[in-house]
Amino acid sequence: MQNIQKNLLKENNTSEKILTGDRATGSLHLGHFVGSLQQRVKLQEQYMQTVLVADMQGLTDNGHNPQKVSANILNVVADYLAVGIDPVKTTICLQSKIPALAELTMYYSNLVSIARLERNPTVKSEISSKSFGRAIPAGFLTYPISQAADITGFNATLIPVGEDQLPMLEQTNEIVRKLNNIAQQQVLVECKPLLSKVSRLPSVDGRSKMSKSLGNTIMLAASEKEISKAVKSMYTDPEHLNILDPGKIEGNVVFTYLDAFHEDPDYVASLKRHYQAGGLGDGKTKNILETCLQDMIKPIRERRQLYMNDKAQLIEVLKRGTEKSQDEANQVLQKVKSAFGLNLF
Ligand code: TRP
């Protein structure tokens, strides 16, 4: 009996705790959907999972434009629910309403040097692409410390991320080791990445990074018209001028999306053979993709609209998840303060 229970525990992986988060700076798009949302819907069946709406992190490069964050918090929550993240199985919470996370950030910041922050490759490339010049907000340079507070504050051990987030996990584990070393006991646990197998979805134009402001993406809330327009403008093979010519699959965004979203891979494989041999036009492949995306996004858009019509319900979901998370983060905060000897009363 005991053995059976142990095995069950192992199969359910209940000892691992998952945390993911999104900066609340915009509604979510198909890139988020294949890269992480679909995975969260699966993981919630097996693991304890928390999803953090990172509004404070969103402010780190939007201090001058805070509406970009405040206006998107409920959009992100509506996106979560619309794709099937279930608030009964997944704790959905709001970063700014968990003060222990900000306090932890303050304590951890004493364990990290400015030089170390400046070496973080993700932050480094973000700084150069955002052209802050010398005016880098202190909050931006230090957001990896705040992310370490998020991860440790929820006792998270497994973090599903893309490659760009690996430096954050490395910095988190450095803080964990330093703190445990100061306390001479294990106060915090290290985390591990769970790297997503799906490769990054290209933007509609096949070149730059997907972004709503560049207009090269398909949002989960996209209307029928927007989907149609995006598919029609999709990058294919610029040398495939004549239907009878052989076409190239590599770099052809229509086929990348068919691979990612079409439910029948054998059919997609036969389309690819036809396209490569010649005789299959881009209009036809785009029509097939458009039907597939319209069918997939329609129920998501409709559910999302229902949630957006009932903001009180969205706020309630967020509030309940946040309250649950506050207790946990407070307990971690007490342990960290004790590690620094700050536990007089
Ligand atoms: N940095 C993450 C991103 O830009 C968002 C995030 C904030 C996060 N806190 C987190 C991710 C904690 C994982 C764990 O997407």
Side-chain angles (χ1 to χ4, degrees):
M1 182 67 191
Q2 232 177 0
N3 268 344
I4 292 174
Q5 272 189 348
K6 255 192 204 151
N7 281 338
L8 271 180
L9 259 179
K10 206 170 167 200
E11 268 171 29
N12 285 331
N13 291 307
T14 42
S15 63
E16 298 279 13
K17 169 95 197 280
I18 294 206
L19 173 71
T20 51
D22 297 289
R23 289 184 195 179
T25 50
S27 297
L28 306 179
H29 51 60
L30 286 185
H32 296 113
F33 187 66
V34 287
S36 104
L37 297 172
Q38 279 182 318
Q39 196 187 25
R40 292 178 196 175
V41 173
K42 277 200 205 119
L43 290 171
Q44 69 184 354
E45 302 300 335
Q46 253 189 325
Y47 293 91
M48 286 184 291
Q49 175 170 257
T50 296
V51 176
L52 179 72
V53 180
D55 54 348
M56 286 199 294
Q57 191 177 114
L59 277 181
T60 60
D61 61 340
N62 287 296
H64 58 291
N65 182 23
Q67 311 86 283
K68 185 165 174 200
V69 177
S70 56
N72 277 306
I73 293 171
L74 294 185
N75 278 331
V76 170
V77 179
D79 286 331
Y80 290 162
L81 301 184
V83 298
I85 295 178
D86 176 351
V88 174
K89 297 173 183 160
T90 297
T91 305
I92 303 174
C93 60
L94 185 62
Q95 193 183 26
S96 65
K97 290 283 183 186
I98 309 171
L101 299 180
E103 283 191 61
L104 282 171
T105 305
M106 211 60 208
Y107 289 108
Y108 294 165
S109 66
N110 302 308
L111 305 177
V112 185
S113 71
I114 302 282
R116 176 64 182 93
L117 289 164
E118 285 173 342
R119 268 203 310 275
N120 182 308
T122 299
V123 174
K124 221 170 159 174
S125 77
E126 282 173 322
I127 284 174
S128 72
S129 73
K130 285 175 202 290
S131 52
F132 288 130
R134 301 256 317 131
I136 303 164
F140 191 82
L141 189 64
T142 54
Y143 90 73
I145 307 179
S146 150
Q147 195 157 328
D150 299 339
I151 293 170
T152 55
F154 296 109
N155 294 304
T157 52
L158 206 52
I159 318 294
V161 283
E163 302 247 344
D164 66 313
Q165 294 293 303
L166 291 178
M168 308 303 159
L169 306 199
E170 237 172 76
Q171 275 202 274
T172 300
N173 286 341
E174 281 171 29
I175 292 171
V176 168
R177 288 192 291 270
K178 277 192 184 160
L179 192 92
N180 290 345
N181 194 33
I182 290 167
Q184 286 296 302
Q185 58 173 311
Q186 189 174 12
V187 178
L188 302 172
V189 282
E190 290 190 37
C191 66
K192 298 182 293 281
L194 181 64
L195 271 175
S196 148
K197 272 180 238 112
V198 212
S199 50
R200 214 175 244 271
L201 197 67
S203 57
V204 167
D205 56 20
R207 272 169 288 144
S208 39
K209 204 180 140 167
M210 243 194 236
S211 107
K212 193 181 175 185
S213 50
L214 290 175
N216 61 9
T217 180
I218 301 177
M219 308 304 292
L220 288 174
S223 67
E224 243 179 84
K225 260 196 188 148
E226 286 165 335
I227 297 169
S228 176
K229 192 171 157 228
V231 174
K232 289 202 171 73
S233 75
M234 229 170 226
Y235 183 82
T236 56
D237 169 6
E239 275 151 40
H240 185 233
L241 299 172
N242 203 314
I243 292 182
L244 292 176
D245 290 343
K248 243 178 40 194
I249 302 295
E250 218 172 276
N252 187 321
V253 180
V254 173
F255 282 103
T256 314
Y257 275 54
L258 282 170
D259 279 335
F261 299 109
H262 202 282
E263 56 191 8
D264 185 350
D266 293 337
Y267 177 61
V268 175
S270 75
L271 284 179
K272 284 182 184 170
R273 284 193 298 271
H274 192 175
Y275 193 82
Q276 280 170 316
L280 180 59
D282 288 311
K284 181 88 190 290
T285 58
K286 285 183 173 179
N287 276 340
I288 296 165
L289 176 64
E290 186 187 333
T291 307
C292 156
L293 292 181
Q294 295 286 11
D295 291 350
M296 187 185 84
I297 294 176
K298 185 170 187 255
I300 297 177
R301 178 178 58 235
E302 287 174 353
R303 276 195 298 270
R304 194 183 181 285
Q305 195 51 52
L306 288 179
Y307 289 118
M308 286 308 282
N309 291 343
D310 186 0
K311 295 215 170 104
Q313 189 195 350
L314 289 177
I315 293 172
E316 192 52 35
V317 162
L318 204 49
K319 210 170 149 199
R320 257 194 252 144
T322 303
E323 277 162 8
K324 214 178 349 160
S325 311
Q326 279 163 344
D327 286 345
E328 194 167 17
N330 276 333
Q331 284 173 25
V332 175
L333 176 63
Q334 291 320 315
K335 287 203 271 176
V336 168
K337 287 172 85 168
S338 294
F340 283 110
L342 301 176
N343 53 355
L344 209 48
F345 52 86

